Amino acid sequence: MTSTTSSALRTAPQQVSTSRERMRSAIQAAGMLPVLVLLAVGFHLLGGYRFLSGQNLSIVAQQAAINIVLASGMTFVILTGGIDLSVGSILAASAMGGLIVSLMHGFGFLAIPACLFVGLLIGAINGVLIAGIRIPPFIATLGTLTAVRGIARLMGGDRTVFNADLPYAWIGNDGIAITSTLVIPWLAVIALLVVVASWFVLRRTVLGVHIYAVGGNPSAARLSGVRVGAVLMFVYCLSGLLAGLGGVMSSARLYAANGLQLGQSYELDAIAAVILGGTSFVGGIGSIWGTLVGGLMIAVLTNGLVLVGVSDIWQFIVKGLVIIIAVALDRFRQPAART
Amino acid sequence: MLAEPLTPVQDTPRTGAPLLEMRGIRKSFSGVAALDGIDLVVHAGECVGLCGENGAGKSTMMKVLSAVYPYGTWEGQILWEGRELRANSIRDTEAAGIVIIHQELMLVPQLSVAENIFLGREPTRHGQIDFDAMNAQSQVLLRRLRMGHINPAEPVSHYGGGEQQLIEIARALAKNARLLILDEPSSSLSRSEIDTLLSLIRDLKESGVACVYISHKLDEVAAIADSVTVIRDGRFIGSAPMSGLSPREIIRMMVGREMTNLYPREPHEIGDVVFEARHVTAFSRHDRSRKRVDDVSFSVRRGEIVGIAGLVGAGRTELVSSVFGSYPGEHTAEIYIEGRKCAIRSPRDAVKAGICMVPEDRKAHGIVPGMAVGHNMTMATLPQFARHGVLDVDSEGRAIDHDIAAMRIRTASPALAISNLSGGNQQKAVISRMLMPKPRVLILDEPTRGVDVGAKYEIYRLIYELARDGVAIIMVSSELPEVLGISDRVLVIGEGRLRGDFTNDGLTQEQVLSAAIGADTSDAHPAQTAGQL
Ligand SMILES: Nc1ncnc2c1ncn2[C@@H]1O[C@H](COP(=O)(O)OP(=O)(O)OP(=O)(O)O)[C@@H](O)[C@H]1O
Ligand SMILES: [Mg+2]
């Protein structure tokens, strides 16, 4: 700090404090946004000016959508200091459930509710294991990750279930046409709605504050009369439900589901999005907007690397490095929290 | 309130360069000045008391000194043995011999006592940690602290707050400090532990170690400090040898006005019994055959302030947390509110029944560190500000602003994370959280711990206001003058049993103390027990 700024501070502390405060909070809210923009522009320049075309952007949005929905649920869970490793498996099981119901004559309209129900049910099981029996979240959801994967395979007799006349296929393939080239896919609309609803719950409801309180100091929350168990139950149910919604979205896109392959390691991308978004792994600190930006970053990377012509193997390496560097930069940017 | 001055104050003029000289230190947080030109001088072998109200900037000053805030993040100059010190990290300052013991404990609960003491400097042999040497050296250190009963190989979490504080001090000693900074070291210590600490500091002074002692307990400062530096609102107020000062004068320098009365005791109306606890029994969490509270029954009337006194470890916190439904071990209690029996199985049940509690350990059970000051205050009453679960942000904000003003909580904004506030201001926020549900019975467990004189006075006044409004108040406190200063009735707990129930009408410290240690009141030994609580 130079002496000139300091004398300014003393003459008009209030003024300086507010404008500075505003700038700092703006930077904090923006988080990874500059990195996201930088990546997009970089890919545009390197990839023959195709990246920022309307068509490609709607592909990116589509690719990002499912991960953002899963990551939204993951944000709630991580805010309470937990983790949900089972979302990929839940997505597979619920997609299987949806397709099977859609093939039942006369019950096709129940396909989407079936997807959501499967997700909610498994989420509730996670919730009971964690809030009721008090199994650590990592272990409980590691268990359901494995078991539900098996169930998903069992549901289709370990074969791909296919429905060419999937009643809700429009969700995965249509969108709102703005111009002839620019279409906003329904998948992206759903993801955005989920993000906005999540923001509302987290920032504008009693439950939201309680989620932050449980993550920040469960003991203080309990002593203040917060129902810690109910809050945990809610976040795992929600994460399951949103994974079920992810099942709707991916089966709608593919007209098919395979219990073995669908949703493999989706939980890792969801966790990466939350972490890139700056949510603290120990709970209590974070925001859904960060998760949105984090999810977009992962999609931009995936799409951009293909566009630029990076080989499959190098895509993994580059993606991993970017995640690590981005979070490291973030640590560097934030004021040192040493105590 | 002043204990007997234990060290005759040396007023010898100092010769030679001081060990430490801090000049014109300024530090601001996002534009708000926390320190605005503070000077501090410490000579070798001298103990300087650093006094100031909550949020005055004492902890910040010491964080500047110990490079928690590294060189360049503040302005001013630090001279260490006459040479400028530009430290970038705690490692640098510790290498120079400056060791800080923070206000909040910094131990790793799962590690053993010895591992904590030698954390980062583990003795090794052939590249492996030499546990035998580590335990043996820890044992020596602990004996010096008269804590020989602590087993260095046991996890820190097995020991209570006071013992942990002394373990923290042992850790600082192991670093060969030349200047020891103690930031409110005594707030969780019992009287005898404090005496141990003070005599230890005296030993250290004799061997040439200097120290900076921060405490809101001015009798301790008077007993140990050679000189006092007072800061207020981040500004330097003055420095003077202790010999020329009385605690009263220090208070005047701290708050900037004369404080005539420490306890604003007012007459107020006491009504019928609202709260009754029968047969409260609580078992030790580690050893289920041991009773921490043994069949205690008591009642509180409308508008009555009941103080609960007793030695540290007597079972007072266990008693009130059993009543509140938050005691983690096995416990039983029959609770009646206005004669109606209430089943209280959790704090939630208690809050619903109209019983609120401000817990003892602010860091572990009080604050939610990353959350805004405002939400920390409304956490227990959010549904009041909501319709169908959706918050009315404006009405919540108004309630927060109102309480911040009423409790005089010093914060740059209600949206600031509470961990940025000074200890005393955090405490006020936690208290106001538990006032928002408008309880019929309010339990305060050590409500003024780490709170400055001015804020203490405000908290007492608040307690009186609540009592006037008919709230029944139960206050646990280790500070006997405080218990006697504000209670209408005093319950004395000793070894988990109710040992006395006194109307506070000319009650003396001696009476309470002899009840606490289990002596018959008729043959109390005032000389032996005075000031021992
Ligand atoms: N990291 C931070 N960000 C913003 N403000 C801060 C931060 N740390 C301290 N402050 C502010 O600086 C002021 C001084 O705080 P400090 O902790 O030094 O007080 P203190 O004298 O130690 O009080 P106490 O007796 O309550 O411990 C307070 O107003 C506090 O809110
Ligand atoms: Mg402090």
Side-chain angles (χ1 to χ4, degrees):
Chain A
M1 200 184 291
T2 64
S3 57
T4 44
T5 55
S6 89
S7 61
L9 284 187
R10 259 173 297 129
T11 48
Q14 215 47 51
Q15 231 172 317
V16 177
S17 104
T18 48
S19 71
R20 266 205 188 182
E21 194 85 324
R22 225 176 285 142
M23 203 168 80
R24 214 176 65 156
S25 64
I27 291 175
Q28 241 151 27
M32 288 284 171
L33 203 54
V35 183
L36 176 65
V37 172
L38 223 66
L39 278 176
V41 172
F43 282 131
H44 190 65
L45 298 179
L46 289 174
Y49 305 104
R50 278 172 300 161
F51 185 85
L52 291 175
S53 68
Q55 200 185 359
N56 191 54
L57 284 182
S58 76
I59 293 174
V60 172
Q62 216 164 23
Q63 287 172 337
I66 294 174
N67 185 32
I68 287 174
V69 169
L70 297 185
S72 298
M74 193 69 76
T75 305
F76 280 82
V77 170
I78 291 180
L79 277 176
T80 64
I83 189 100
D84 187 351
L85 298 175
S86 64
V87 289
S89 299
I90 297 180
L91 181 141
S94 72
M96 293 300 285
L99 271 159
I100 291 168
V101 172
S102 78
L103 287 169
M104 291 179 186
H105 198 68
F107 288 101
F109 67 96
L110 283 179
I112 291 178
C115 278
L116 299 178
F117 175 75
V118 170
L120 183 62
L121 181 73
I122 303 169
I125 293 172
N126 280 335
V128 169
L129 293 176
I130 292 158
I133 312 179
R134 299 189 188 200
I135 299 174
F138 191 94
I139 296 164
T141 60
L142 187 63
T144 42
L145 159 90
T146 315
V148 173
R149 178 61 64 189
I151 291 171
R153 291 175 65 177
L154 206 61
M155 285 166 87
D158 210 8
R159 273 195 301 271
T160 302
V161 180
F162 183 74
N163 183 355
D165 304 315
L166 193 69
Y168 57 88
W170 56 272
I171 291 179
N173 300 288
D174 296 348
I176 308 170
I178 305 286
T179 64
S180 56
T181 52
L182 186 67
V183 179
I184 301 178
W186 284 117
L187 289 180
V189 174
I190 293 174
L192 207 60
L193 287 177
V194 167
V195 168
V196 171
S198 300
W199 170 82
F200 185 81
V201 172
L202 286 174
R203 292 297 184 192
R204 284 290 177 270
T205 68
V206 173
L207 184 64
V209 180
H210 285 180
I211 286 170
Y212 279 95
V214 166
N217 186 346
S219 165
R222 207 172 68 88
L223 288 178
S224 306
V226 174
R227 276 183 298 191
V228 175
V231 168
L232 292 179
M233 192 72 204
F234 170 83
V235 298
Y236 288 99
C237 284
L238 181 73
S239 179
L241 182 71
L242 289 177
L245 182 59
V248 174
M249 294 160 81
S250 57
S251 58
R253 210 168 144 55
L254 302 169
Y255 295 87
N258 178 305
L260 180 59
Q261 285 152 10
L262 192 63
Q264 274 286 5
S265 75
Y266 276 22
E267 63 278 355
L268 300 183
D269 272 354
I271 294 170
V274 177
I275 296 307
L276 279 174
T279 295
S280 156
F281 227 61
V282 291
I285 299 171
S287 82
I288 194 75
W289 300 120
T291 300
L292 174 63
V293 173
L296 287 174
M297 266 179 78
I298 289 174
V300 165
L301 268 177
T302 312
N303 177 286
L305 289 173
V306 175
L307 216 64
V308 175
V310 176
S311 79
D312 185 41
I313 299 169
W314 278 98
Q315 282 178 31
F316 274 100
I317 297 172
V318 172
K319 230 167 109 176
L321 285 178
V322 168
I323 291 174
I324 292 171
I325 293 169
V327 175
L329 279 179
D330 198 43
R331 289 276 173 286
F332 189 69
R333 188 177 51 80
Q334 273 167 4
R338 295 189 195 214
T339 39
Chain B
M1 72 177 283
L2 177 62
E4 70 228 81
L6 292 148
T7 3
V9 181
Q10 313 128 3
D11 221 347
T12 46
R14 304 273 173 181
T15 48
L19 179 65
L20 170 79
E21 208 177 339
M22 297 176 80
R23 283 190 197 147
I25 304 293
R26 290 178 207 287
K27 162 94 191 152
S28 53
F29 295 103
S30 45
V32 180
L35 298 177
D36 195 3
I38 311 265
D39 301 334
L40 181 70
V41 179
V42 185
H43 292 86
E46 183 192 32
C47 179
V48 175
L50 188 57
C51 296
E53 296 189 86
N54 292 129
K58 306 179 294 293
S59 298
T60 307
M61 183 76 175
M62 291 304 106
K63 285 178 186 167
V64 166
L65 173 55
S66 58
V68 170
Y69 302 131
Y71 180 79
T73 60
W74 40 267
E75 291 166 67
Q77 210 180 19
I78 299 180
L79 298 178
W80 178 250
E81 297 184 305
R83 270 193 301 272
E84 184 165 13
L85 183 72
R86 297 185 174 187
N88 291 314
S89 71
I90 300 201
R91 265 181 190 278
D92 296 350
T93 51
E94 280 186 355
I98 301 171
V99 177
I100 183 166
I101 299 172
H102 288 281
Q103 190 166 4
E104 316 287 357
L105 290 176
M106 302 264 169
L107 297 171
V108 185
Q110 295 84 1
L111 292 185
S112 78
V113 173
E115 282 166 330
N116 266 290
I117 291 177
F118 285 96
L119 196 64
R121 294 162 297 108
E122 294 83 356
T124 54
R125 207 173 55 188
H126 314 306
Q128 289 183 341
I129 295 183
D130 186 350
F131 282 101
D132 293 337
M134 198 160 87
N135 288 339
Q137 288 175 35
S138 303
Q139 191 80 60
V140 172
L141 278 169
L142 289 167
R143 281 224 192 88
R144 245 175 96 188
L145 288 166
R146 294 172 215 173
M147 302 270 291
H149 65 282
I150 285 186
N151 180 355
E154 264 198 78
V156 158
S157 57
H158 285 193
Y159 295 100
E163 285 161 328
Q164 291 192 11
Q165 183 72 61
L166 291 176
I167 293 168
E168 184 101 57
I169 290 164
R171 173 155 105 181
L173 288 184
K175 292 176 185 166
N176 295 321
R178 300 186 50 210
L179 172 67
L180 191 60
I181 303 165
L182 299 115
D183 195 350
E184 290 192 41
S186 65
S187 56
S188 55
L189 298 188
S190 70
R191 189 73 235 179
S192 64
E193 284 167 335
I194 292 174
D195 289 341
T196 308
L197 174 67
L198 293 186
S199 64
L200 183 89
I201 295 174
R202 244 168 255 133
D203 291 350
L204 287 174
K205 279 196 326 194
E206 232 138 76
S207 58
V209 177
C211 82
V212 176
Y213 194 89
I214 299 177
S215 178
H216 290 294
K217 300 183 183 166
L218 297 180
D219 49 346
E220 281 166 25
V221 176
I224 196 73
D226 305 304
S227 74
V228 173
T229 294
V230 176
I231 57 183
R232 188 198 315 150
D233 289 342
R235 276 186 298 273
F236 180 76
I237 299 299
S239 237
M242 191 65 226
S243 58
L245 287 174
S246 69
R248 199 189 181 82
E249 275 161 312
I250 299 177
I251 290 174
R252 202 187 53 231
M253 287 166 80
M254 278 167 61
V255 300
R257 65 194 144 85
E258 191 79 43
M259 294 238 352
T260 44
N261 188 1
L262 289 179
Y263 304 105
R265 200 162 172 193
E266 294 170 9
H268 54 270
E269 204 176 306
I270 294 177
D272 298 330
V273 171
V274 271
F275 170 86
E276 208 182 338
R278 286 190 205 152
H279 310 301
V280 184
T281 300
F283 296 89
S284 164
R285 210 154 37 121
H286 304 294
D287 174 7
R288 289 175 67 185
S289 62
R290 253 188 73 214
K291 286 184 183 172
R292 300 302 313 267
V293 180
D294 190 0
D295 195 20
V296 173
S297 302
F298 66 99
S299 63
V300 188
R301 292 166 178 278
R302 258 180 76 86
E304 188 177 37
I305 301 169
V306 172
I308 298 189
L311 304 167
V312 171
R316 297 167 304 168
T317 293
E318 288 81 354
L319 171 65
V320 291
S321 59
S322 296
V323 166
F324 187 62
S326 66
Y327 184 64
E330 207 180 306
H331 61 277
T332 54
E334 285 170 39
I335 308 295
Y336 298 83
I337 301 272
E338 280 167 358
R340 277 216 346 266
K341 188 164 177 180
C342 296
I344 291 176
R345 281 175 301 266
S346 69
R348 187 178 169 78
D349 293 341
V351 174
K352 273 194 181 156
I355 307 174
C356 280
M357 184 173 88
V358 177
E360 175 185 27
D361 184 342
R362 181 171 61 236
K363 194 181 175 195
H365 307 299
I367 60 165
V368 181
M371 208 157 73
V373 179
H375 281 323
N376 263 288
M377 292 164 66
T378 54
M379 214 167 99
T381 38
L382 278 176
Q384 273 181 20
F385 307 109
R387 272 184 62 184
H388 310 303
V390 178
L391 284 175
D392 177 352
V393 185
D394 291 335
S395 80
E396 189 198 359
R398 275 194 301 276
I400 292 168
D401 289 342
H402 175 268
D403 275 29
I404 284 181
M407 306 276 294
R408 289 183 223 173
I409 298 171
R410 269 190 58 139
T411 175
S413 128
L416 195 71
I418 196 168
S419 48
N420 292 332
L421 262 57
S422 74
N425 283 301
Q426 292 180 9
Q427 179 72 357
K428 289 195 222 168
V430 174
I431 292 180
S432 83
R433 174 199 302 166
M434 286 331 242
L435 292 181
M436 282 197 179
K438 304 225 166 2
R440 272 188 284 187
V441 181
L442 180 66
I443 303 171
L444 299 157
D445 196 352
E446 305 284 1
T448 62
R449 177 169 289 177
V451 171
D452 68 56
V453 271
K456 262 184 193 163
Y457 186 83
E458 282 164 32
I459 290 174
Y460 299 146
R461 241 193 14 216
L462 193 85
I463 291 176
Y464 273 105
E465 251 164 55
L466 291 167
R468 240 196 344 255
D469 293 343
V471 179
I473 289 166
I474 301 167
M475 183 189 73
V476 174
S477 172
S478 296
E479 304 216 10
L480 208 38
E482 170 176 290
V483 172
L484 294 174
I486 74 164
S487 317
D488 299 312
R489 199 149 59 84
V490 179
L491 302 181
V492 183
I493 307 291
E495 287 169 14
R497 292 207 189 85
L498 185 62
R499 286 207 171 136
D501 181 345
F502 303 97
T503 304
N504 186 11
D505 187 9
L507 190 64
T508 63
Q509 297 206 16
E510 286 72 33
Q511 279 170 297
V512 174
L513 278 162
S514 50
I517 59 172
D520 201 318
T521 350
S522 55
D523 59 86
H525 306 289
Q528 172 203 325
T529 51
Q532 288 294 299
L533 204 68

